[in-house]
Amino acid sequence: MQASKIARAWFGATALVVIAGLAAQVPVSAGTEGGTFHTPAGRVANLLAFFTIDSNILVGIGSLLLALGVAGRSTLFGVLRLTGLVGIIVTGVVFQVALADLYELHGWAQFADTMLHKVSPLMCVAGWLLFGPRGQLSWRVLWWSLLYPLAWLAVTLVRGAMIGFYPYPFVDPGINGYGGVAFNCVLIGVLFIGLAAAAVGFDRTFSRKDEVDDYLAPDPAESVERIRDTGAY
């Protein structure tokens, strides 16, 4: 029970980090003039074009559900958890390798950057390693999790071709050419699949088959079986 309380507190803190980062980023983006989008509303809406923002949202939702004890054991939640986990790792790695030196940030912009690119990835990974939940990942979940990066890439390239905006230099054909963009995407795709496969392998290896993470919401079918086992109806 004590471990469950610690786990929920960790997940809650992770969700708060994401919320704080997003809350700081919204006014920063709204007040940044120039560029493709000329209104505060347009600049804020465009935040959803960034893989960083989307990955943090997935992490925040998954962490909040776990903190509140309402996350179930469904395939859908397994996909949400794996997609958020791998997406936020890719966010942290790509940022440090390719993007960290491109901008000089101050004030709330620096705070948001730290929360979304550094603290959130570290807390998400540490939370998953320490608390799981275990036994939810499978190769089927892995393949479903690939829909997120594929959809993001398709929307980014099509939208970019239409309005001339690309959220990151490495997916901008005007900078790298389509061949360079394809090469960059393959590298990131291999990283995503490799990390997802490693996560599934880790989860299957260290799953506690005789234990259930009690911060997960009970499965309705399992609850019925438990009631029947006690002789209560």
Side-chain angles (χ1 to χ4, degrees), residues 49-52 54-55 58 79-80 82-88 90-91 141-157 168 170-171 184-196:
F50 290 85
F51 194 86
T52 293
D54 299 335
S55 296
L58 293 175
V79 173
L80 171 65
L82 180 61
T83 304
L85 173 69
V86 177
I88 207 67
V90 171
T91 291
V141 168
L142 185 154
W143 295 122
W144 278 112
S145 73
L146 298 182
L147 288 177
Y148 164 52
L150 290 174
W152 179 86
L153 179 61
V155 171
T156 296
L157 293 179
Y168 305 108
F170 58 83
V171 291
N184 292 335
C185 291
V186 168
L187 286 181
I188 296 174
V190 169
L191 175 63
F192 195 101
I193 295 173
L195 289 170

Side-chain angles (χ1 to χ4, degrees), residues 215-226:
Y215 47 81
L216 288 175
D219 180 79
E222 291 181 3
S223 299
V224 170
E225 290 300 322
R226 289 176 185 173

Side-chain angles (χ1 to χ4, degrees), residues 3-225:
S4 173
K5 291 181 179 179
I6 295 173
R8 287 194 183 189
W10 187 277
F11 295 135
T14 303
L16 287 176
V17 164
V18 172
I19 292 170
L22 294 175
Q25 185 62 57
V26 167
V28 168
S29 295
T32 302
E33 298 181 355
T36 304
F37 304 94
H38 304 298
T39 65
R43 291 189 288 271
V44 170
N46 189 55
L47 284 173
L48 293 175
F50 290 85
F51 194 86
T52 293
I53 299 298
D54 299 335
S55 296
N56 270 282
I57 289 174
L58 293 175
V59 168
I61 292 173
S63 298
L64 185 59
L65 292 176
L66 288 167
L68 296 175
V70 296
R73 303 184 186 93
S74 65
T75 297
L76 179 61
F77 183 75
V79 173
L80 171 65
R81 188 71 171 141
L82 180 61
T83 304
L85 173 69
V86 177
I88 207 67
I89 296 175
V90 171
T91 291
V93 171
V94 172
F95 175 78
Q96 294 301 325
V97 172
L99 302 173
D101 296 329
L102 295 181
Y103 310 100
E104 184 176 349
L105 304 175
H106 304 280
W108 287 110
Q110 186 176 27
F111 173 81
D113 175 78
T114 300
M115 292 295 104
L116 300 177
H117 285 116
K118 299 173 183 177
V119 181
S120 172
L122 289 174
M123 291 194 69
C124 179
V125 173
W128 184 77
L129 290 173
L130 291 171
F131 306 115
R134 299 280 169 257
Q136 288 200 305
L137 304 187
S138 64
W139 303 117
R140 179 168 177 259
V141 168
L142 185 154
W143 295 122
W144 278 112
S145 73
L146 298 182
L147 288 177
Y148 164 52
L150 290 174
W152 179 86
L153 179 61
V155 171
T156 296
L157 293 179
V158 172
R159 180 174 182 258
M162 294 173 61
I163 67 174
F165 173 83
Y166 297 89
Y168 305 108
F170 58 83
V171 291
D172 188 343
I175 297 175
N176 303 283
Y178 281 101
V181 169
F183 179 76
N184 292 335
C185 291
V186 168
L187 286 181
I188 296 174
V190 169
L191 175 63
F192 195 101
I193 295 173
L195 289 170
V200 172
F202 182 95
D203 183 73
R204 292 165 70 92
T205 300
F206 293 97
S207 292
R208 299 162 295 173
K209 299 183 183 303
D210 58 339
E211 296 183 39
V212 175
D213 294 304
D214 57 2
Y215 47 81
L216 288 175
D219 180 79
E222 291 181 3
S223 299
V224 170
E225 290 300 322

